[in-house]
Amino acid sequence: MMAMEKIIIAADHGGYLLKEAIKTHLMQMGFSVTDEGTDSDQAVDYPDFGGKAAGAISAGLFPRGILICGSGVGMSIVANRFPGVRAALCLDEETARLSRMHNDANILVLAGRKTDSETAFRIVRTWLTTPFVITIQK
Ligand code: RB5
């Protein structure tokens, strides 16, 4: 039997609801999901949660992860401070595809207050299934 691919996910209060929806979606896709919180819509500091997940990616414990805050900006800033992390804030499928093909992004950042769950599912599926292609981009 093939091992389930591991993925790590985290959010602050601005991304909590979308995180829950995406977690279910990922499990339905067959992923083994590690959820670093937060666990409610009570206000928290996004670096506490983004840092845990980005640190785990940086340490090689997970091949990829998903972070969500209200705008996606805070989580992007936090995640990209960690060595080996390439976090991409994606508001649409095209950016998600390019962040994999051209940038080999290993963290997808989503905006819980800008992106509805159906759009987010499409972004996640595109991001997870697009390979990195090594070429000189024009
Ligand atoms: C929280 O209100 C919000 O500022 C946070 O989720 C995020 O958008 C920060 O970048």
Side-chain angles (χ1 to χ4, degrees), residues 16-132:
Y16 166 68
L17 279 178
L18 186 56
K19 172 175 70 67
E20 294 303 300
I22 288 175
K23 192 166 65 175
T24 303
H25 194 64
L26 290 169
M27 291 188 299
Q28 285 167 350
M29 289 172 75
F31 281 85
S32 163
V33 183
T34 295
D35 181 354
E36 289 290 355
T38 186
D39 298 323
S40 80
D41 60 4
Q42 293 297 302
V44 292
D45 290 330
Y46 60 82
D48 293 343
F49 297 88
K52 275 190 208 160
I57 302 269
S58 184
L61 301 176
F62 293 84
R64 47 193 175 171
I66 298 176
L67 296 179
I68 314 167
C69 61
S71 65
V73 174
M75 287 299 195
S76 304
I77 292 170
V78 168
N80 280 312
R81 294 179 67 90
F82 285 79
V85 166
R86 296 173 300 281
L89 169 56
C90 298
L91 301 177
D92 56 53
E93 278 182 84
E94 178 65 357
T95 313
R97 193 176 68 81
L98 291 172
S99 80
R100 288 291 312 132
M101 276 180 69
H102 294 188
N103 311 111
D104 198 16
N106 53 8
I107 292 186
L108 169 65
V109 184
L110 294 167
R113 291 183 178 150
K114 293 192 71 70
T115 306
D116 63 75
S117 57
E118 286 305 319
T119 305
F121 294 163
R122 286 198 297 275
I123 291 172
V124 165
R125 287 195 300 266
T126 296
W127 191 78
L128 288 171
T129 55
T130 304
F132 177 45

